[in-house]
Amino acid sequence: MPIDSSATYAIGDLQGCYQSLVTLIDKIEAITPDARFIFVGDLVNRGPQSLQTLRLIRSLGERAQVVLGNHDLHLLAAAHGIRKLHRSDTLDEILNAPDREELLDWLRHRPLALLLQDHLFLHAGVLPQWSATKTMALAQEVTDMLQGPRWVDFLREMYGNQPLRWDDALKGNERLRCIVNALTRLRFCNKDGTMELAAKESAGISLPGYLPWFDAPQRQTADVTVVFGHWSTLGLVLRPNLIGLDTGCVWGGKLTAVRLADRALLQVSCPQAQRPG
């Protein structure tokens, strides 16, 4: 799909930090009035204004594209009683909103990955044996399920850490669960792509046998620029073929946007909405 990269900004995890998003959009539009936005997931949760955040992004229409993150899927599951709300969740306002069903329906029709002009957008990570084309095909399998008649049944089977390693022979819910875990939860894996789904620390920790997913040798997506979020302890990453955008807005860090054409960086400082731990 063609995009005007000179007018397109990728934006990191929002997690319901509405005022920070408004400030960032105003800052972008002062430079690029016709800007378009690609959000790398986790639109909602933990921040103070998830409902307003969701409404704003939906109202942007074709100017905004979104890939789903783990907190967005958690909202869908919680809305159907499949997951209990955590102490730190801030989703009640959405769940009690008069436009709840329209918002949730819009959310479940977002993809898990986008491939636009040699940029692969996803929330968390990608397994080393997946090419960009394969990643898109696998993400589409999940999207088809989420947009189909059995989507609530799928949410009931979506959670769990197994299987930790991809196999082309995987079928059914195990196959879809592995895809979801990679695209929305992955931080570390080993050289053969076996996922480690518990660690949340920065990339520099000692985790014997494991390394950040993007440093896996012979990673098949090294020929495109992967744009991702999810990893606030990692912070901003700008490499020739990698853009990491989760700069911890909800934790009192920054909300970050990067213009795709030239890597121009725009950030706003965010009030702390949650304390780690």
Side-chain angles (χ1 to χ4, degrees):
M1 179 186 298
I3 58 170
D4 180 359
S5 60
S6 66
T8 302
Y9 293 77
I11 297 178
D13 301 37
L14 300 171
Q15 296 200 247
C17 295
Y18 170 77
Q19 292 297 339
S20 298
L21 174 60
V22 170
T23 301
L24 182 62
I25 288 177
D26 287 346
K27 195 170 182 178
I28 291 170
E29 289 182 336
I31 301 168
T32 313
D34 57 347
R36 302 174 74 89
F37 311 102
I38 300 175
F39 296 92
V40 295
D42 280 3
L43 307 182
V44 300
N45 207 19
R46 291 183 172 158
Q49 293 178 289
S50 288
L51 175 60
Q52 292 90 330
T53 301
L54 209 53
R55 284 173 174 166
L56 173 57
I57 296 171
R58 184 177 179 233
S59 75
L60 291 169
E62 293 185 357
R63 291 182 65 196
Q65 297 188 72
V66 171
V67 296
L68 292 173
N70 53 302
H71 282 279
D72 308 314
L73 293 172
H74 176 59
L75 168 60
L76 294 174
H80 289 84
I82 294 164
R83 298 287 281 185
K84 292 182 179 180
L85 293 183
H86 304 143
R87 182 181 59 185
S88 61
D89 286 344
T90 57
L91 299 173
D92 283 329
E93 198 175 14
I94 296 174
L95 298 176
N96 296 321
D99 53 348
R100 158 194 161 128
E101 294 308 320
E102 296 92 72
L103 292 170
L104 295 177
D105 187 66
W106 174 84
L107 191 64
R108 77 177 176 95
H109 282 81
R110 301 311 99 197
L112 267 74
L114 289 166
L115 182 59
L116 304 170
Q117 290 186 351
D118 297 325
H119 287 73
L120 177 64
F121 301 85
L122 43 87
H123 177 61
V126 61
L127 294 176
Q129 59 266 57
W130 295 353
S131 65
T133 301
K134 182 165 187 168
T135 300
M136 289 301 299
L138 296 176
Q140 188 64 45
E141 292 182 26
V142 179
T143 297
D144 290 344
M145 179 61 75
L146 285 173
Q147 296 180 7
R150 294 185 52 253
W151 72 280
V152 175
D153 291 334
F154 165 64
L155 290 177
R156 292 192 180 96
E157 302 297 329
M158 183 177 67
Y159 288 94
N161 291 343
Q162 299 296 328
L164 286 171
R165 187 173 186 274
W166 175 254
D167 187 321
D168 286 333
L170 286 171
K171 297 184 183 303
N173 288 323
E174 284 198 340
R175 180 181 179 90
L176 297 177
R177 188 184 306 121
C178 191
I179 297 167
V180 168
N181 283 343
L183 295 177
T184 70
R185 296 178 60 200
L186 180 63
R187 293 185 180 93
F188 295 95
C189 65
N190 68 14
K191 292 180 180 180
D192 71 3
T194 300
M195 295 181 280
E196 203 295 325
L197 294 173
K200 298 182 179 181
E201 293 85 355
S202 70
I205 68 164
S206 176
L207 201 63
Y210 292 90
L211 65 169
W213 64 265
F214 46 79
D215 287 333
Q218 300 180 318
R219 175 168 60 87
Q220 296 300 297
T221 48
D223 59 339
V224 298
T225 298
V226 180
V227 187
F228 68 104
H230 184 60
W231 202 343
S232 62
T233 53
L234 186 67
L236 180 67
V237 177
L238 294 173
R239 297 186 188 177
N241 64 352
L242 202 68
I243 301 176
L245 291 172
D246 186 358
T247 45
C249 180
V250 76
W251 309 113
K254 296 181 184 297
L255 181 60
T256 297
V258 169
R259 188 164 58 196
L260 298 181
D262 57 2
R263 301 289 185 95
L265 181 68
L266 285 88
Q267 294 183 307
V268 297
S269 297
C270 306
Q272 186 176 42
Q274 292 274 348
R275 293 188 182 278

